[in-house]
Amino acid sequence: MNPMNPGGRLGLLARRCLLYATLAALLAAFTAPLLWALSGSFKPRGDIFGYPPRLLPDPATWHNYRTLLSDQPFGRWFLMSTVVALTATAVSVFVCALAGYGFAKFRFAGRRLLFGVMFSSLSIPFAVILVPLFVILVKTGLGSPWFALIVPWVAPAFGIFMMQQYIVQGVPDEVLEAARIDGCGEFRIFLRIVLPLLRPSLGALGVWTFLQSYNSFLWPLVLVSDSEQYTLPLGLQTLFRAENRQYDLVLAGAVLAVLPAVAVFVRLRRQLLEGLSTGAVKG
Amino acid sequence: MATPYLFIAPFYLLYVLFMLAPIGVALWLSLCEWVGLGTPHWVGLRNYHHLLTDGSFQRALGNTGVYVLVSVAVIVPAALLIAQALNVRGLRARDLWRTAYFVPMVVSPIVVALVFGLIFDRHFGLANAVLRALFGTGGVDWLGDPTMARVSICLVMVWRWTGYLTIFFLAGLQNVPRELYESASLDGAGRLRTFRAVTLPALRPVTAFVLVTSFIGAAQIFDEPYLLTGGGPSEATLSVAQFVYRAAFERQQFGYAAAAGVVLFAVVFTVSQLFNRLLGIGRPV
């Protein structure tokens, strides 16, 4: 079973050791760059590129964090990113659940075609929309970040696909039938019965949407020109340029920017990792 | 009667407004010359003609091709191998491994770029320091040499995407009934044959999904090259998405940018629809 050792001559114990060694090496490769940046964020400017490189900061200092928070509008960037991402997440989860439910539990004329259209929108590269969408929004006066960073992105096809798969598996028809016999309206059924049954997968979709929005870079780069409305990625990028590519402040900013994302992910990882893959596994 | 349509209506409303309409506008703009102000000026197919002979666009296409190739031929198989390793029966700390491998995907691209900028620094970066300690020479110009810059971007892509795709394969593998493996081993099938006869067919839907997703992801890559190398040196890492961005927002050639976007769209959309057809994904359950 162990693909790392196709020969199979070694004993089981040795094979296990090899497996764990490989997994540990991968763990190091995937996390070391981030830990290196974390360590760098506590170093004085001159030590970040010191040779030989020091794994741990010595002396360790909060100076970068203090300067960043006192001299830069980091709090505002953070607020902007978080509010945008949370709003987008709340709306998106609801819209995706609606559409997913429509496709999962109803048979209607054009269902196959409409589903195909929805699914095929996954293969529309953002680059083709970038320019015209920007032009349309600016010309129609909808270019405000509060609108443009949120509204166009609240119905991702991936989310609908994921919800649809979940509802097919997780919402029994009998429950819906029983509610209908009791005279419950369709929208009430969705709110009162379907949504509560979906809670774990809504969590999964929520984390996914939050990360998409919180980490997005190209669209805010194009759209937001007023530095008062910068999101975190834009703020960090501008700061890095303004500081003449010095790493001390931006590393502190990077750590502070990543912490919430990693915290949300680690907290909800089970739901996310299982939720992400349900759709794809069944195909 | 109207109920299901009402449920899916919000999606289609947004789809028409923010996907279909922009694509329509892109098609029209691609036939115009426009600096972003005033009225666009109709030029027919001239933008497409220019693209054909534009060396930058060809480089962007070539680089994007490399990114797609790495994604499909390196990252996807690597993810499958890692998923196999994580699916070993009785593996300890499975949750720890898969969570840690996934973390790069959670990190914002700007942070990824900062982290790797720090590591790939020519003079003082960690990568060269490690090479110097191990081999005595560490003068690799990770981001300044055209070939190395491309390699570095690909390394970052591998770092960022592999753990993400592993999750899909792992879920797929955990879905394969154990009895299939048992009967294969009773039949005396070797490891490789079991993999080919049992694992791969069972993984078909996941593999299809992962291949298409990573193809689309790599074909429209922007963040990593833009932030890490700015597309350079001398366009060695320029992607098509950055070409579009540069034409529109740095050079005010909106029509030309739209044309490049349409070309990318045509290629990506056609290839992934073919994939979907061929591999049978994207139908409602």
Short mmCIF file of all heavy atoms in Angstrom, two decimals, chain A residues 5 16 20 23 27 29-30 33 49 98 108-109 111-112 114 120 123 126 132 160 215 222 247 265 269-270 276-277 281, chain B residues 5 7 11-12 22 88-89 92 95 99-101 106 108 115 117 124 159 168 171 175 191 220 249 269 272-273 283 285:
data_model
loop_
_atom_site.label_atom_id
_atom_site.label_comp_id
_atom_site.label_asym_id
_atom_site.label_seq_id
_atom_site.Cartn_x
_atom_site.Cartn_y
_atom_site.Cartn_z
N ASN A 5 7.51 3.00 -1.24
CA ASN A 5 8.45 1.88 -1.23
C ASN A 5 7.92 0.76 -2.08
O ASN A 5 7.42 -0.26 -1.58
CB ASN A 5 8.64 1.42 0.22
CG ASN A 5 9.51 0.18 0.27
OD1 ASN A 5 10.35 -0.02 -0.58
ND2 ASN A 5 9.24 -0.66 1.25
N ARG A 16 7.19 1.66 7.67
CA ARG A 16 6.47 2.70 8.41
C ARG A 16 7.39 3.89 8.71
O ARG A 16 7.00 5.03 8.57
CB ARG A 16 5.93 2.14 9.74
CG ARG A 16 4.63 1.37 9.57
CD ARG A 16 3.50 2.33 9.36
NE ARG A 16 2.58 1.84 8.37
CZ ARG A 16 1.28 1.65 8.57
NH1 ARG A 16 0.75 1.94 9.74
NH2 ARG A 16 0.52 1.19 7.62
N TYR A 20 6.71 7.72 7.63
CA TYR A 20 6.61 8.87 8.54
C TYR A 20 7.71 9.89 8.27
O TYR A 20 7.49 11.09 8.39
CB TYR A 20 6.61 8.41 10.00
CG TYR A 20 5.29 7.82 10.42
CD1 TYR A 20 5.17 6.47 10.70
CD2 TYR A 20 4.16 8.63 10.50
CE1 TYR A 20 3.94 5.93 11.06
CE2 TYR A 20 2.93 8.10 10.84
CZ TYR A 20 2.83 6.73 11.13
OH TYR A 20 1.61 6.22 11.47
N LEU A 23 6.50 11.87 5.32
CA LEU A 23 5.42 12.79 5.69
C LEU A 23 5.97 13.97 6.50
O LEU A 23 5.54 15.10 6.32
CB LEU A 23 4.34 12.05 6.49
CG LEU A 23 3.55 11.01 5.71
CD1 LEU A 23 2.55 10.29 6.62
CD2 LEU A 23 2.84 11.63 4.53
N LEU A 27 5.89 17.87 5.65
CA LEU A 27 5.37 18.83 6.63
C LEU A 27 6.32 20.01 6.76
O LEU A 27 5.92 21.16 6.74
CB LEU A 27 5.18 18.15 7.99
CG LEU A 27 4.68 19.04 9.11
CD1 LEU A 27 3.17 19.16 9.06
CD2 LEU A 27 5.12 18.55 10.46
N ALA A 29 8.54 20.97 4.53
CA ALA A 29 8.57 21.76 3.29
C ALA A 29 7.36 22.68 3.18
O ALA A 29 7.48 23.81 2.71
CB ALA A 29 8.61 20.81 2.08
N PHE A 30 6.22 22.23 3.64
CA PHE A 30 5.01 23.05 3.51
C PHE A 30 4.92 24.14 4.57
O PHE A 30 4.29 25.16 4.35
CB PHE A 30 3.75 22.18 3.55
CG PHE A 30 3.50 21.43 2.27
CD1 PHE A 30 3.35 20.05 2.27
CD2 PHE A 30 3.41 22.10 1.06
CE1 PHE A 30 3.13 19.36 1.09
CE2 PHE A 30 3.19 21.41 -0.12
CZ PHE A 30 3.05 20.03 -0.11
N PRO A 33 8.60 27.64 5.11
CA PRO A 33 8.64 29.03 4.62
C PRO A 33 7.83 29.98 5.50
O PRO A 33 8.26 31.11 5.75
CB PRO A 33 8.02 28.92 3.22
CG PRO A 33 8.30 27.53 2.80
CD PRO A 33 8.20 26.70 4.05
N PHE A 49 18.13 39.52 7.05
CA PHE A 49 18.97 38.92 6.03
C PHE A 49 20.37 38.62 6.55
O PHE A 49 21.32 38.59 5.79
CB PHE A 49 19.05 39.83 4.80
CG PHE A 49 17.85 39.73 3.91
CD1 PHE A 49 17.15 40.86 3.51
CD2 PHE A 49 17.41 38.49 3.46
CE1 PHE A 49 16.06 40.77 2.67
CE2 PHE A 49 16.32 38.39 2.62
CZ PHE A 49 15.63 39.53 2.23
N LEU A 98 -29.56 28.15 -1.74
CA LEU A 98 -30.80 28.29 -2.51
C LEU A 98 -30.69 27.54 -3.84
O LEU A 98 -31.51 26.67 -4.15
CB LEU A 98 -31.07 29.77 -2.82
CG LEU A 98 -31.85 30.64 -1.85
CD1 LEU A 98 -31.92 32.05 -2.42
CD2 LEU A 98 -33.23 30.09 -1.62
N PHE A 108 -37.30 19.95 -13.13
CA PHE A 108 -38.03 20.98 -13.87
C PHE A 108 -37.47 21.07 -15.28
O PHE A 108 -36.36 20.58 -15.55
CB PHE A 108 -37.93 22.33 -13.16
CG PHE A 108 -36.52 22.74 -12.78
CD1 PHE A 108 -35.74 23.49 -13.64
CD2 PHE A 108 -35.99 22.35 -11.54
CE1 PHE A 108 -34.46 23.86 -13.29
CE2 PHE A 108 -34.69 22.72 -11.19
CZ PHE A 108 -33.92 23.47 -12.06
N ALA A 109 -38.26 21.68 -16.14
CA ALA A 109 -37.86 21.79 -17.54
C ALA A 109 -36.57 22.61 -17.63
O ALA A 109 -36.47 23.67 -17.02
CB ALA A 109 -38.97 22.46 -18.35
N ARG A 111 -33.63 21.72 -16.55
CA ARG A 111 -32.75 21.54 -15.40
C ARG A 111 -31.33 21.18 -15.83
O ARG A 111 -30.35 21.79 -15.39
CB ARG A 111 -33.32 20.45 -14.49
CG ARG A 111 -32.42 20.06 -13.34
CD ARG A 111 -33.17 19.13 -12.40
NE ARG A 111 -32.29 18.60 -11.36
CZ ARG A 111 -31.61 17.47 -11.48
NH1 ARG A 111 -31.71 16.75 -12.59
NH2 ARG A 111 -30.83 17.05 -10.51
N ARG A 112 -31.23 20.21 -16.72
CA ARG A 112 -29.91 19.76 -17.17
C ARG A 112 -29.13 20.89 -17.83
O ARG A 112 -27.95 21.11 -17.52
CB ARG A 112 -30.10 18.65 -18.20
CG ARG A 112 -29.67 17.29 -17.75
CD ARG A 112 -29.85 16.34 -18.94
NE ARG A 112 -28.56 15.81 -19.32
CZ ARG A 112 -28.04 14.71 -18.76
NH1 ARG A 112 -28.66 14.07 -17.82
NH2 ARG A 112 -26.85 14.27 -19.14
N LEU A 114 -29.64 24.18 -17.55
CA LEU A 114 -29.30 25.26 -16.61
C LEU A 114 -28.15 24.84 -15.70
O LEU A 114 -27.27 25.64 -15.38
CB LEU A 114 -30.53 25.63 -15.79
CG LEU A 114 -31.59 26.43 -16.56
CD1 LEU A 114 -32.88 26.52 -15.78
CD2 LEU A 114 -31.07 27.81 -16.90
N SER A 120 -20.51 25.23 -16.24
CA SER A 120 -19.51 25.67 -17.21
C SER A 120 -18.96 27.05 -16.86
O SER A 120 -17.90 27.43 -17.33
CB SER A 120 -20.10 25.68 -18.62
OG SER A 120 -21.01 26.74 -18.73
N SER A 123 -15.41 27.42 -15.82
CA SER A 123 -14.27 27.48 -16.74
C SER A 123 -14.20 28.81 -17.48
O SER A 123 -13.59 28.88 -18.54
CB SER A 123 -14.28 26.30 -17.70
OG SER A 123 -15.58 25.84 -17.95
N PHE A 126 -11.06 34.50 -15.15
CA PHE A 126 -11.35 35.84 -14.66
C PHE A 126 -10.78 36.91 -15.59
O PHE A 126 -11.34 37.99 -15.72
CB PHE A 126 -10.80 35.98 -13.23
CG PHE A 126 -11.05 37.32 -12.64
CD1 PHE A 126 -12.32 37.85 -12.61
CD2 PHE A 126 -10.02 38.07 -12.11
CE1 PHE A 126 -12.57 39.09 -12.06
CE2 PHE A 126 -10.25 39.31 -11.56
CZ PHE A 126 -11.53 39.83 -11.54
N PRO A 132 -13.88 44.26 -18.93
CA PRO A 132 -15.26 44.73 -19.14
C PRO A 132 -16.04 44.93 -17.83
O PRO A 132 -16.78 45.90 -17.72
CB PRO A 132 -15.90 43.62 -19.98
CG PRO A 132 -15.01 42.45 -19.86
CD PRO A 132 -13.64 42.97 -19.62
N ILE A 160 -22.30 26.36 -5.45
CA ILE A 160 -23.60 25.78 -5.79
C ILE A 160 -23.45 24.29 -6.04
O ILE A 160 -24.23 23.47 -5.57
CB ILE A 160 -24.18 26.49 -7.03
CG1 ILE A 160 -24.45 27.94 -6.69
CG2 ILE A 160 -25.44 25.80 -7.50
CD1 ILE A 160 -24.85 28.77 -7.88
N ASN A 215 -8.50 36.68 0.65
CA ASN A 215 -7.20 36.58 0.00
C ASN A 215 -7.17 37.15 -1.41
O ASN A 215 -6.11 37.19 -2.03
CB ASN A 215 -6.77 35.11 -0.08
CG ASN A 215 -6.40 34.56 1.29
OD1 ASN A 215 -6.13 35.30 2.22
ND2 ASN A 215 -6.42 33.24 1.42
N VAL A 222 -7.32 46.18 -9.13
CA VAL A 222 -7.87 46.94 -10.24
C VAL A 222 -8.87 47.97 -9.75
O VAL A 222 -8.91 49.10 -10.21
CB VAL A 222 -8.54 45.97 -11.24
CG1 VAL A 222 -9.40 46.73 -12.24
CG2 VAL A 222 -7.49 45.16 -11.97
N TYR A 247 11.81 44.29 4.56
CA TYR A 247 10.88 43.25 4.98
C TYR A 247 10.36 43.39 6.40
O TYR A 247 9.42 42.71 6.78
CB TYR A 247 11.53 41.86 4.83
CG TYR A 247 11.49 41.36 3.42
CD1 TYR A 247 12.54 41.58 2.54
CD2 TYR A 247 10.38 40.65 2.96
CE1 TYR A 247 12.49 41.10 1.23
CE2 TYR A 247 10.32 40.17 1.67
CZ TYR A 247 11.39 40.40 0.81
OH TYR A 247 11.33 39.93 -0.48
N PHE A 265 -9.42 28.53 9.50
CA PHE A 265 -9.22 27.25 8.82
C PHE A 265 -9.01 26.11 9.82
O PHE A 265 -9.65 25.05 9.73
CB PHE A 265 -8.03 27.34 7.86
CG PHE A 265 -7.53 26.00 7.41
CD1 PHE A 265 -8.35 25.17 6.66
CD2 PHE A 265 -6.26 25.57 7.75
CE1 PHE A 265 -7.90 23.92 6.26
CE2 PHE A 265 -5.81 24.33 7.34
CZ PHE A 265 -6.63 23.51 6.60
N ARG A 269 -11.49 23.05 10.06
CA ARG A 269 -10.82 22.27 9.00
C ARG A 269 -11.59 21.00 8.62
O ARG A 269 -11.67 20.65 7.45
CB ARG A 269 -9.40 21.92 9.41
CG ARG A 269 -9.32 21.01 10.62
CD ARG A 269 -7.90 20.77 11.05
NE ARG A 269 -7.85 19.86 12.16
CZ ARG A 269 -8.12 20.18 13.42
NH1 ARG A 269 -8.47 21.42 13.70
NH2 ARG A 269 -8.08 19.29 14.38
N ARG A 270 -12.14 20.32 9.64
CA ARG A 270 -12.84 19.06 9.32
C ARG A 270 -13.94 19.31 8.32
O ARG A 270 -14.01 18.66 7.28
CB ARG A 270 -13.45 18.45 10.58
CG ARG A 270 -12.42 17.95 11.54
CD ARG A 270 -12.52 16.45 11.77
NE ARG A 270 -11.26 16.00 12.35
CZ ARG A 270 -10.99 16.09 13.66
NH1 ARG A 270 -11.90 16.55 14.49
NH2 ARG A 270 -9.82 15.70 14.12
N LEU A 276 -15.22 20.18 0.94
CA LEU A 276 -14.61 20.46 -0.36
C LEU A 276 -14.65 19.25 -1.26
O LEU A 276 -14.89 19.37 -2.45
CB LEU A 276 -13.13 20.83 -0.17
CG LEU A 276 -12.76 22.28 0.04
CD1 LEU A 276 -11.26 22.39 0.14
CD2 LEU A 276 -13.26 23.10 -1.13
N SER A 277 -14.41 18.09 -0.66
CA SER A 277 -14.21 16.92 -1.52
C SER A 277 -15.48 16.13 -1.79
O SER A 277 -15.50 15.36 -2.72
CB SER A 277 -13.13 16.03 -0.92
OG SER A 277 -13.26 15.98 0.46
N VAL A 281 -15.87 13.82 -5.28
CA VAL A 281 -15.71 12.38 -5.19
C VAL A 281 -16.80 11.65 -5.96
O VAL A 281 -16.56 10.70 -6.68
CB VAL A 281 -15.73 11.93 -3.71
CG1 VAL A 281 -15.75 10.44 -3.62
CG2 VAL A 281 -14.52 12.49 -3.01
N TYR B 5 -37.42 27.51 -10.13
CA TYR B 5 -36.80 28.62 -10.84
C TYR B 5 -36.50 29.79 -9.90
O TYR B 5 -35.50 30.48 -10.05
CB TYR B 5 -37.70 29.08 -12.00
CG TYR B 5 -37.90 28.00 -13.03
CD1 TYR B 5 -39.09 27.29 -13.10
CD2 TYR B 5 -36.87 27.65 -13.90
CE1 TYR B 5 -39.27 26.27 -14.03
CE2 TYR B 5 -37.03 26.65 -14.83
CZ TYR B 5 -38.23 25.95 -14.89
OH TYR B 5 -38.39 24.96 -15.80
N PHE B 7 -35.70 29.45 -6.81
CA PHE B 7 -34.52 29.09 -6.01
C PHE B 7 -33.22 29.35 -6.77
O PHE B 7 -32.22 29.76 -6.18
CB PHE B 7 -34.58 27.61 -5.58
CG PHE B 7 -35.46 27.38 -4.39
CD1 PHE B 7 -36.60 26.61 -4.48
CD2 PHE B 7 -35.12 27.94 -3.16
CE1 PHE B 7 -37.41 26.40 -3.37
CE2 PHE B 7 -35.92 27.73 -2.06
CZ PHE B 7 -37.07 26.96 -2.16
N PHE B 11 -28.82 33.14 -8.58
CA PHE B 11 -27.57 32.82 -9.26
C PHE B 11 -27.59 33.32 -10.69
O PHE B 11 -26.65 33.95 -11.16
CB PHE B 11 -27.29 31.31 -9.24
CG PHE B 11 -26.21 30.93 -10.22
CD1 PHE B 11 -24.89 31.16 -9.90
CD2 PHE B 11 -26.51 30.41 -11.47
CE1 PHE B 11 -23.87 30.86 -10.80
CE2 PHE B 11 -25.52 30.11 -12.38
CZ PHE B 11 -24.19 30.33 -12.04
N TYR B 12 -28.69 33.04 -11.41
CA TYR B 12 -28.72 33.41 -12.82
C TYR B 12 -28.74 34.92 -13.03
O TYR B 12 -28.15 35.42 -14.00
CB TYR B 12 -29.87 32.71 -13.55
CG TYR B 12 -29.47 31.30 -13.84
CD1 TYR B 12 -29.83 30.27 -12.99
CD2 TYR B 12 -28.62 31.02 -14.90
CE1 TYR B 12 -29.38 28.98 -13.20
CE2 TYR B 12 -28.16 29.74 -15.13
CZ TYR B 12 -28.55 28.72 -14.28
OH TYR B 12 -28.07 27.47 -14.50
N PRO B 22 -20.41 40.96 -19.07
CA PRO B 22 -19.00 41.30 -19.30
C PRO B 22 -18.38 40.55 -20.46
O PRO B 22 -17.59 41.14 -21.22
CB PRO B 22 -18.32 40.92 -17.99
CG PRO B 22 -19.40 40.99 -16.98
CD PRO B 22 -20.65 40.59 -17.67
N VAL B 88 -2.75 5.23 3.91
CA VAL B 88 -2.25 3.96 4.46
C VAL B 88 -3.04 3.61 5.71
O VAL B 88 -3.32 4.46 6.56
CB VAL B 88 -0.75 4.10 4.80
CG1 VAL B 88 -0.28 2.94 5.66
CG2 VAL B 88 0.06 4.20 3.53
N ARG B 89 -3.43 2.35 5.81
CA ARG B 89 -4.26 1.93 6.94
C ARG B 89 -3.51 2.11 8.26
O ARG B 89 -2.32 1.81 8.35
CB ARG B 89 -4.66 0.47 6.77
CG ARG B 89 -6.07 0.23 7.26
CD ARG B 89 -6.46 -1.21 7.15
NE ARG B 89 -6.27 -1.74 5.78
CZ ARG B 89 -6.73 -2.94 5.42
NH1 ARG B 89 -7.37 -3.68 6.28
NH2 ARG B 89 -6.53 -3.38 4.20
N ARG B 92 -1.03 7.23 11.69
CA ARG B 92 -1.25 8.11 12.83
C ARG B 92 -1.26 9.58 12.40
O ARG B 92 -0.60 9.94 11.44
CB ARG B 92 -0.15 7.92 13.87
CG ARG B 92 -0.42 6.73 14.75
CD ARG B 92 0.80 6.36 15.55
NE ARG B 92 0.66 4.97 15.96
CZ ARG B 92 0.07 4.60 17.09
NH1 ARG B 92 -0.40 5.50 17.91
NH2 ARG B 92 -0.03 3.33 17.40
N ASP B 95 -4.99 13.65 10.48
CA ASP B 95 -5.56 15.01 10.48
C ASP B 95 -4.47 16.07 10.49
O ASP B 95 -4.55 17.06 9.78
CB ASP B 95 -6.49 15.16 11.69
CG ASP B 95 -7.23 16.48 11.67
OD1 ASP B 95 -7.79 16.83 10.61
OD2 ASP B 95 -7.22 17.19 12.69
N THR B 99 -3.94 18.62 7.35
CA THR B 99 -4.18 20.02 7.70
C THR B 99 -2.95 20.86 7.39
O THR B 99 -3.04 21.92 6.75
CB THR B 99 -4.53 20.16 9.19
OG1 THR B 99 -5.65 19.34 9.47
CG2 THR B 99 -4.87 21.59 9.53
N ALA B 100 -1.78 20.37 7.82
CA ALA B 100 -0.55 21.14 7.59
C ALA B 100 -0.27 21.30 6.10
O ALA B 100 0.16 22.36 5.65
CB ALA B 100 0.62 20.45 8.28
N TYR B 101 -0.54 20.25 5.32
CA TYR B 101 -0.26 20.34 3.88
C TYR B 101 -1.18 21.33 3.20
O TYR B 101 -0.88 21.86 2.14
CB TYR B 101 -0.41 18.96 3.20
CG TYR B 101 0.55 17.91 3.70
CD1 TYR B 101 0.45 16.59 3.28
CD2 TYR B 101 1.56 18.23 4.60
CE1 TYR B 101 1.31 15.62 3.73
CE2 TYR B 101 2.43 17.26 5.07
CZ TYR B 101 2.30 15.96 4.64
OH TYR B 101 3.15 15.00 5.10
N VAL B 106 -4.29 28.44 2.37
CA VAL B 106 -5.05 29.38 3.20
C VAL B 106 -4.38 30.75 3.21
O VAL B 106 -5.00 31.77 3.48
CB VAL B 106 -5.15 28.80 4.64
CG1 VAL B 106 -5.76 29.79 5.59
CG2 VAL B 106 -5.93 27.50 4.62
N SER B 108 -2.70 34.13 2.10
CA SER B 108 -2.93 35.12 1.05
C SER B 108 -1.75 35.19 0.07
O SER B 108 -0.60 35.12 0.47
CB SER B 108 -3.13 36.46 1.74
OG SER B 108 -3.05 37.50 0.85
N VAL B 115 6.93 35.93 1.56
CA VAL B 115 7.69 34.84 2.16
C VAL B 115 8.73 34.31 1.18
O VAL B 115 9.91 34.13 1.53
CB VAL B 115 6.73 33.72 2.59
CG1 VAL B 115 7.50 32.47 2.95
CG2 VAL B 115 5.86 34.18 3.74
N GLY B 117 9.84 35.82 -1.53
CA GLY B 117 10.80 36.87 -1.86
C GLY B 117 11.95 36.87 -0.87
O GLY B 117 13.12 37.05 -1.22
N PHE B 124 20.95 37.36 0.15
CA PHE B 124 20.81 37.03 1.57
C PHE B 124 19.69 36.03 1.84
O PHE B 124 19.35 35.78 2.98
CB PHE B 124 20.55 38.31 2.37
CG PHE B 124 21.52 39.40 2.06
CD1 PHE B 124 21.12 40.49 1.31
CD2 PHE B 124 22.84 39.32 2.51
CE1 PHE B 124 22.02 41.51 1.02
CE2 PHE B 124 23.73 40.33 2.22
CZ PHE B 124 23.33 41.43 1.47
N TRP B 159 4.25 24.35 -4.11
CA TRP B 159 4.10 24.52 -2.67
C TRP B 159 2.67 24.88 -2.31
O TRP B 159 2.10 24.38 -1.36
CB TRP B 159 5.06 25.63 -2.21
CG TRP B 159 5.03 25.90 -0.74
CD1 TRP B 159 5.65 25.17 0.23
CD2 TRP B 159 4.36 26.99 -0.09
NE1 TRP B 159 5.40 25.73 1.46
CE2 TRP B 159 4.60 26.85 1.29
CE3 TRP B 159 3.58 28.05 -0.53
CZ2 TRP B 159 4.11 27.74 2.24
CZ3 TRP B 159 3.08 28.94 0.41
CH2 TRP B 159 3.35 28.78 1.78
N PHE B 168 -8.62 16.25 -2.21
CA PHE B 168 -9.60 15.64 -3.10
C PHE B 168 -9.27 14.17 -3.36
O PHE B 168 -10.12 13.31 -3.29
CB PHE B 168 -9.66 16.41 -4.43
CG PHE B 168 -10.19 17.80 -4.27
CD1 PHE B 168 -9.34 18.87 -4.08
CD2 PHE B 168 -11.55 18.03 -4.29
CE1 PHE B 168 -9.84 20.15 -3.93
CE2 PHE B 168 -12.06 19.31 -4.14
CZ PHE B 168 -11.20 20.37 -3.95
N ALA B 171 -9.94 12.02 -0.25
CA ALA B 171 -11.36 11.71 -0.10
C ALA B 171 -11.77 10.63 -1.09
O ALA B 171 -12.52 9.71 -0.76
CB ALA B 171 -12.20 12.96 -0.30
N ASN B 175 -12.94 6.56 -0.34
CA ASN B 175 -14.22 6.11 -0.85
C ASN B 175 -14.14 4.76 -1.58
O ASN B 175 -15.17 4.20 -1.94
CB ASN B 175 -14.77 7.16 -1.82
CG ASN B 175 -16.14 7.62 -1.41
OD1 ASN B 175 -16.45 7.58 -0.22
ND2 ASN B 175 -16.94 8.02 -2.36
N ARG B 191 1.44 -4.51 -6.53
CA ARG B 191 1.05 -3.18 -6.10
C ARG B 191 0.68 -2.29 -7.29
O ARG B 191 -0.30 -1.57 -7.28
CB ARG B 191 2.21 -2.56 -5.31
CG ARG B 191 1.80 -1.37 -4.50
CD ARG B 191 2.84 -1.09 -3.46
NE ARG B 191 2.89 -2.14 -2.46
CZ ARG B 191 3.97 -2.42 -1.73
NH1 ARG B 191 5.08 -1.77 -1.92
NH2 ARG B 191 3.93 -3.36 -0.82
N GLN B 220 -5.19 30.72 -15.60
CA GLN B 220 -5.47 32.13 -15.33
C GLN B 220 -4.62 32.68 -14.19
O GLN B 220 -4.97 33.66 -13.55
CB GLN B 220 -6.96 32.31 -15.04
CG GLN B 220 -7.48 31.47 -13.91
CD GLN B 220 -8.96 31.77 -13.68
OE1 GLN B 220 -9.37 32.90 -13.83
NE2 GLN B 220 -9.72 30.78 -13.30
N PHE B 249 -4.51 48.27 -17.65
CA PHE B 249 -4.39 49.19 -16.53
C PHE B 249 -3.03 49.85 -16.41
O PHE B 249 -2.83 50.73 -15.60
CB PHE B 249 -4.79 48.47 -15.24
CG PHE B 249 -6.20 47.96 -15.29
CD1 PHE B 249 -6.46 46.61 -15.47
CD2 PHE B 249 -7.26 48.85 -15.22
CE1 PHE B 249 -7.77 46.16 -15.55
CE2 PHE B 249 -8.57 48.40 -15.29
CZ PHE B 249 -8.82 47.05 -15.46
N PHE B 269 -12.04 27.75 -22.07
CA PHE B 269 -13.41 27.26 -22.06
C PHE B 269 -13.55 26.02 -22.94
O PHE B 269 -14.12 25.01 -22.53
CB PHE B 269 -14.36 28.37 -22.54
CG PHE B 269 -15.79 28.12 -22.18
CD1 PHE B 269 -16.24 28.35 -20.89
CD2 PHE B 269 -16.68 27.63 -23.12
CE1 PHE B 269 -17.55 28.13 -20.54
CE2 PHE B 269 -18.00 27.40 -22.78
CZ PHE B 269 -18.44 27.65 -21.50
N SER B 272 -11.72 22.98 -21.33
CA SER B 272 -12.35 22.38 -20.17
C SER B 272 -13.71 21.78 -20.50
O SER B 272 -14.10 20.78 -19.89
CB SER B 272 -12.43 23.34 -18.99
OG SER B 272 -12.68 24.63 -19.41
N GLN B 273 -14.41 22.33 -21.50
CA GLN B 273 -15.67 21.68 -21.90
C GLN B 273 -15.38 20.31 -22.51
O GLN B 273 -16.08 19.35 -22.25
CB GLN B 273 -16.44 22.54 -22.91
CG GLN B 273 -16.99 23.83 -22.33
CD GLN B 273 -17.65 23.66 -20.98
OE1 GLN B 273 -18.59 22.89 -20.82
NE2 GLN B 273 -17.16 24.34 -19.96
N ARG B 283 -22.65 17.01 -14.62
CA ARG B 283 -24.08 16.77 -14.80
C ARG B 283 -24.74 16.75 -13.43
O ARG B 283 -24.13 16.34 -12.45
CB ARG B 283 -24.29 15.42 -15.48
CG ARG B 283 -23.80 15.44 -16.90
CD ARG B 283 -24.36 14.27 -17.68
NE ARG B 283 -23.41 13.86 -18.69
CZ ARG B 283 -22.61 12.82 -18.55
NH1 ARG B 283 -22.66 12.08 -17.47
NH2 ARG B 283 -21.76 12.53 -19.50
N VAL B 285 -26.76 15.52 -10.29
CA VAL B 285 -26.98 14.17 -9.75
C VAL B 285 -28.47 13.87 -9.79
O VAL B 285 -29.26 14.71 -9.38
CB VAL B 285 -26.47 14.09 -8.31
CG1 VAL B 285 -26.74 12.70 -7.75
CG2 VAL B 285 -25.00 14.41 -8.27
#
